Amino acid sequence: MSAKIGCAGCHAEVRLDAVHRLACTSCHGGQDNERQVDKAHAGLIARPSHPSRMAQSCGNCHPGQVDAAAASRHFTLSGLINTVRKHFGAQDRLEQPTDIPMAAPVSGTLALADDMLRRRCLRCHVYSKGDAYDAVTHGTGCAACHLAFANGKLVSHAFVPPTDKQCLSCHYGNRVGSDYHGRFEHDFNWEYRTPYSSQTSLNTAPRPAGVEWHDLAADVHQQRGIVCIDCHRHSGHDRQKPRITCIACHGWRPGQPAPGLNTLSVRDQALVLTGRADGKEHAVPLLSNPAHRQYGAQVACQVCHGQWSFNDAPTYLLLSNRHEYEPWERLVVQGSSEVETLLEHNLHYSDEKPLVMRDGLTGEPRPGIWYLGYGQRRWEQMIVRKDTDGRIKVFRPYLDLHLSMVNADGQVPFDDIVGKNSGLLPYTPHTTGPAGLFFLNRFRHLLPTEEQ
């Protein structure tokens, strides 16, 4: 019996959507009409949509979309990266995540923060396929949003609009997105996670996003079936259009044009949102309570309408080059499959694995591993402060980061390094709900004396 010929001969299960019925070699390279694997895979491009390749592959047909995606905040993460680096003393501004310096060995506070960004923070970015958990493994580049994964594996080659599942493959772990779906991670310590276990090692409970979560109140928009891309434009494709806010929709008045989302339209003097996922129409309720007129210019919407928010703080991060694992036995669950696998193995097996961790952007391993822990994990009592622009907003201790490092010989060159300020930053909790009777108690103390 002769060997099968060509890509389809071995990969008969691959199904393409109607728009992308192209030859496999159009995107993946290689040689079709070959019987031998090594010849067929000559010049193979395993991940043609990876940021380093997407301009040459996806960009052949979608140059505008690729250029817009590459310049979007989803790809550059410039806001996050520069905020963290400035907090730890950086004077320059970086435009791309690949611009983050790699220092080996780590020789200063900023270099320590840079290593944290590359190896602990950016492992779910579009340069990487994400952690090895069932719900968060995804494609790279364009495929991170446009190809479906399930149980840690690619489901199909059919390109689709992003769903909330794809959004949550990065926006999990007590980040915006988790709150929209009412998910709050358990603490890492085995005593505070359920189902409870008498063992300090990894239990067998399913952890599709790395850590078990509490089911809290989901955002009222999510409860109505509204998905992320109904309000959030994807990957900056429409980044020239004005940003949509709560007021843009709920402050709309008859006679005005519909706000700048193609999901919104005006019908019979009413504003209607048509869901991208199910086509269901939602009449947008308009502001009517007099409190909006009284406080709307001073107070952000979620100060009253947010049901809860993430208040994980302080966040402790330790770069360890020391082969000492017992102190971490109760914290084997780390929200990182790479750290968990190494820690679990070295705790229980004699053939010790090397103490290395991969770079989230290049995939290359480097010595040392980042451990993570929290002083507390809370969602009650939202932090409400007045921002620098004078508006009262919800804040979150995003940058309450404490960085330490221990060398292989036990020396501690960095111990509990903190940034320039408290680490509180404005945050929009995606936990919208009714304001309730006592909304004023959340911000009354921040009003001018005559208004209190």
Side-chain angles (χ1 to χ4, degrees):
M1 180 177 177
S2 61
K4 296 178 180 179
I5 299 177
C7 306
C10 292
H11 302 283
E13 76 285 357
V14 173
R15 294 291 182 270
L16 303 174
D17 59 86
V19 178
H20 295 90
R21 286 177 181 165
L22 308 170
C24 301
T25 53
S26 297
C27 298
H28 286 281
Q31 306 297 319
D32 207 350
N33 300 318
E34 285 287 349
R35 294 179 184 274
Q36 298 181 14
V37 173
D38 55 343
K39 292 183 178 180
H41 285 186
L44 180 71
I45 302 167
R47 298 184 294 174
S49 66
H50 187 274
S52 64
R53 288 283 317 171
M54 64 184 192
Q56 295 90 336
S57 51
C58 307
N60 281 331
C61 297
H62 308 285
Q65 289 88 341
V66 167
D67 288 346
S72 72
R73 288 182 296 173
H74 269 105
F75 269 67
T76 68
L77 293 180
S78 57
L80 180 151
I81 289 169
N82 288 300
T83 298
V84 173
R85 298 188 80 249
K86 183 179 179 181
H87 188 65
F88 287 102
Q91 301 296 318
D92 58 337
R93 179 175 176 82
L94 305 182
E95 298 301 324
Q96 298 289 336
T98 49
D99 295 337
I100 301 172
M102 287 186 289
V106 173
S107 57
T109 299
L110 182 56
L112 185 64
D114 285 340
D115 194 79
M116 174 197 69
L117 284 170
R118 293 193 71 114
R119 294 205 288 161
R120 182 75 212 204
C121 298
L122 298 181
R123 66 185 190 280
C124 72
H125 190 44
V126 292
Y127 282 80
S128 163
K129 64 180 182 179
D131 265 311
Y133 301 120
D134 285 350
V136 302
T137 302
H138 53 70
T140 60
C142 302
C145 298
H146 289 290
L147 288 183
F149 280 70
N151 301 319
K153 296 181 180 180
L154 178 66
V155 172
S156 168
H157 271 67
F159 284 76
V160 295
T163 66
D164 278 15
K165 188 176 187 302
Q166 279 133 319
C167 299
L168 288 172
S169 69
C170 284
H171 293 269
Y172 68 97
N174 287 12
R175 295 176 180 86
V176 64
S178 293
D179 50 5
Y180 190 64
H181 286 260
R183 300 175 181 178
F184 188 98
E185 273 193 351
H186 290 200
D187 207 340
F188 290 170
N189 192 312
W190 68 271
E191 288 182 323
Y192 304 125
R193 295 176 20 248
T194 54
Y196 298 110
S197 171
S198 60
Q199 299 179 351
T200 56
S201 63
L202 297 176
N203 62 36
T204 57
R207 295 185 290 115
V211 185
E212 303 91 337
W213 62 70
H214 301 282
D215 288 310
L216 304 182
D219 193 291
V220 68
H221 300 87
Q222 194 277 334
Q223 295 179 39
R224 300 292 192 274
I226 296 173
V227 299
C228 300
I229 62 171
D230 284 338
C231 297
H232 293 279
R233 300 185 185 94
H234 171 54
S235 294
H237 292 349
D238 300 317
R239 67 188 188 278
Q240 300 300 328
K241 293 183 179 180
R243 186 178 180 182
I244 295 297
T245 63
C246 304
I247 296 298
C249 290
H250 296 287
W252 176 88
R253 289 291 178 265
Q256 297 177 344
L261 279 177
N262 56 16
T263 52
L264 294 167
S265 59
V266 178
R267 310 267 187 84
D268 299 325
Q269 296 297 298
L271 186 64
V272 175
L273 184 146
T274 303
R276 291 179 186 270
D278 56 11
K280 183 178 178 180
E281 294 186 348
H282 305 268
V284 178
L286 304 181
L287 302 182
S288 59
N289 193 300
H292 295 112
R293 292 192 299 273
Q294 185 173 359
Y295 302 112
Q298 304 175 68
V299 183
C301 301
Q302 296 303 79
V303 171
C304 299
H305 288 281
Q307 305 302 287
W308 56 273
S309 185
F310 298 121
N311 288 329
D312 301 336
T315 302
Y316 296 99
L317 292 129
L318 170 67
L319 175 57
S320 176
N321 292 281
R322 185 172 176 80
H323 293 268
E324 184 180 31
Y325 309 108
E326 287 74 16
W328 295 93
E329 190 169 15
R330 298 169 70 90
L331 297 175
V332 170
V333 168
Q334 282 278 303
S336 163
S337 58
E338 184 177 16
V339 178
E340 287 179 14
T341 300
L342 186 146
L343 187 54
E344 176 78 359
H345 183 94
N346 289 347
L347 276 167
H348 297 99
Y349 297 94
S350 58
D351 58 324
E352 191 173 85
K353 289 187 176 181
L355 196 66
V356 297
M357 190 174 187
R358 66 182 174 88
D359 187 299
L361 301 175
T362 66
E364 295 298 320
R366 294 202 301 277
I369 189 165
W370 280 97
Y371 294 121
L372 174 65
Y374 296 92
Q376 66 175 18
R377 308 201 83 179
R378 296 288 185 270
W379 65 77
E380 70 272 21
Q381 297 299 323
M382 289 195 302
I383 301 170
V384 177
R385 297 284 190 275
K386 186 172 288 189
D387 200 1
T388 53
D389 62 3
R391 280 176 60 80
I392 297 170
K393 301 175 183 177
V394 176
F395 278 71
R396 177 180 177 179
Y398 259 124
L399 296 177
D400 191 1
L401 307 174
H402 296 241
L403 308 186
S404 301
M405 178 179 173
V406 59
N407 290 332
D409 58 5
Q411 293 185 343
V412 183
F414 302 100
D415 185 22
D416 202 35
I417 303 297
V418 296
K420 292 183 175 181
N421 51 50
S422 67
L424 287 174
L425 290 177
Y427 180 67
T428 302
H430 283 48
T431 58
T432 310
L437 293 175
F438 304 104
F439 69 90
L440 189 57
N441 292 343
R442 292 187 175 183
F443 63 88
R444 186 199 305 267
H445 61 290
L446 298 171
L447 295 172
T449 304
E450 63 272 15
E451 292 189 46
Q452 291 184 25

